Amino acid sequence: MLDSLFRLELPPAFSAMRACDSDSCETVRLSSLSFSAWSRGDLTDALRLSDAASQGHPACAGTCIGPATIWHSSLLVRVREPVAAARSLARVEELTAGARDTEGLVAASLVCAGDLALAQGDVAAAVDAVGRGVRKAQQAGLRCLLPDAHTVMALSALRQGNVSVSLEFVDQLRDDALLGRTTDRPGQYAWAAAQLLEVQGGAKSAAHFIVGIITDDQLLLELLASQPAAAAWLVRATRELGDASLAQRVASEASGLATRNSGLRSMTAAASHARGLLEESPERLLSAGESHLDPWAGASAFEDAGNLLADLDRERDRAVEVLERAVDGYTNAGAPRDARRVVSRLRGLGVRRGRYPRYVSQDGVNTGSLTETEAAVAELVSHGFTNSQVGEHLFISGHTVAFHLKKIFRKLNVASRVELTRTWSRLSDAAAEPVSPG
């Protein structure tokens, strides 16, 4: 009975390991109730129950406290309470210090730490923590932890503008789904794939994922409860698809979730952001930007507000100020591609910035002294993008892309796009070796 409980009603941190020998363990019972509450959208109750579970119980032998603490940490990350999440993860370190047979706890803790780092905008730390977590999970045979790890890796690469690496991890998420591993957070896995497709070809190319998430009650609830930026992203995407009813559904669900969990600032900000987009209200969007605890979501709200203000008479100066905040927010969140998009918008308003955010990182790769823009062009061209598509992604003209491409060919000693693709693939593999499910 206990094994069945772990498989069906508890997250991977519990199901991956034998948490307790007692079928009546109070820590397990509270964690199970927390997981059920979270799945229903009762987030405040879920946090309260997970906190109680993580404190342990007199009748508990103690082996289940670690998984319960990781589960509590994970929920704190989802509602963007980084200080409390870090404190909770520190308790896991104390529990595993000097203990034996703790590979599973350490692996789950590292994956959670990577999720926390990404939520705070520290992409490099996120990739490092998750990479170490995956290696530990593979050593312990805990494949159920891989989907969460692959999601963080996919979103980290996409945040940095590294499309090809993101694609590799999205492909691994697809394999995870086929193997039945994505049972805990399938909405987030689908959202990662949708974001990648949207970057590659706009909302229409991701339409099947977008519609699938929104029309599935459980997928939508799970995603909105775990990613404060998702509601606004989905509203924006559905409006681009021309489906007002889907946009309204997302905004309504986000508002309902915020009402049910009125004490959670992240949910209130997400609902305000989605509603502000739907109503085209700069003031509501500005309020959301100020309230968001997630730096990337906050930057997104400022960008949305700035774009609306830029279209209004006599609001140019205010629009510039807000868009500048969006650039800084994206930069601090480790999202150079998003920052460059806003820089392009500012240039359209006649504003020139003295600094230009990095688009993609190929640290440690001998790229023949390519500039940052040339590296970005090479990355996208190697992924099959045309000059026009590369220009759209980098916010430069197709002619400028062709000019950069000639210099890239010369510096890398290649004569065609096919040769560039092969060369760049080798360079990328040397720089960022994707974690395989082993």
Side-chain angles (χ1 to χ4, degrees), residues 22-72:
S22 172
D23 287 345
S24 60
C25 174
E26 183 68 5
T27 299
V28 172
R29 188 185 74 83
L30 289 171
S31 295
S32 178
L33 289 173
S34 171
F35 188 66
S36 296
W38 189 269
S39 299
R40 296 192 306 270
D42 295 328
L43 314 186
T44 304
D45 284 346
L47 283 163
R48 175 181 55 80
L49 289 163
S50 68
D51 185 27
S54 71
Q55 303 306 315
H57 190 268
C60 176
T63 54
C64 55
I65 297 176
T69 304
I70 292 172
W71 170 239
H72 183 54

Side-chain angles (χ1 to χ4, degrees), residues 151-307:
T151 300
V152 174
M153 289 293 204
L155 294 177
S156 295
L158 195 59
R159 191 78 60 88
Q160 290 267 292
N162 202 327
V163 178
S164 60
V165 171
S166 181
L167 178 60
E168 292 183 37
F169 284 109
V170 167
D171 284 343
Q172 290 184 3
L173 280 170
R174 179 199 59 197
D175 294 341
D176 292 334
L178 292 174
L179 293 171
R181 297 173 186 155
T182 55
T183 57
D184 178 39
R185 295 196 283 177
Q188 293 190 74
Y189 311 143
W191 188 48
Q195 287 185 75
L196 174 64
L197 290 173
E198 191 272 337
V199 166
Q200 290 179 305
K204 288 185 178 180
S205 68
H208 58 297
F209 275 108
I210 295 168
V211 174
I213 292 170
I214 297 173
T215 56
D216 186 304
D217 291 345
Q218 193 57 41
L219 278 182
L220 181 60
L221 174 61
E222 178 252 311
L223 177 59
L224 297 183
S226 303
Q227 291 287 353
W233 189 93
L234 288 171
V235 169
R236 202 178 300 109
T238 49
R239 294 187 69 188
E240 186 177 334
L241 293 174
D243 196 324
S245 63
L246 286 180
Q248 179 63 55
R249 172 169 165 71
V250 173
S252 296
E253 289 297 316
S255 295
L257 195 61
T259 299
R260 290 168 61 186
N261 302 278
S262 57
L264 296 180
R265 179 174 159 185
S266 60
M267 296 299 113
T268 301
S272 181
H273 192 172
R275 185 60 59 184
L277 277 172
L278 205 62
E279 298 173 355
E280 297 187 349
S281 168
E283 301 308 323
R284 186 183 285 273
L285 290 169
L286 286 169
S287 176
E290 296 286 357
S291 298
H292 268 304
L293 298 170
D294 182 300
W296 189 69
S300 173
F302 287 130
E303 180 186 3
D304 291 329
N307 285 334

Side-chain angles (χ1 to χ4, degrees), residues 373-429:
T373 300
E374 288 166 357
V377 170
E379 161 72 16
L380 293 171
V381 168
S382 71
H383 198 59
F385 288 82
T386 65
N387 286 7
S388 176
Q389 290 171 327
V390 172
E392 290 176 3
H393 280 268
L394 297 181
F395 313 106
I396 56 180
S397 71
H399 293 297
T400 302
V401 172
F403 172 74
H404 285 306
L405 203 52
K406 289 181 180 179
K407 294 197 294 182
I408 293 167
F409 282 6
R410 184 178 69 254
K411 291 181 178 181
L412 296 185
N413 194 29
V414 298
S416 68
R417 299 171 86 96
V418 173
E419 285 187 40
L420 171 60
T421 298
R422 292 171 182 165
T423 299
W424 196 255
S425 178
R426 290 196 301 271
L427 294 172
S428 297
D429 288 344

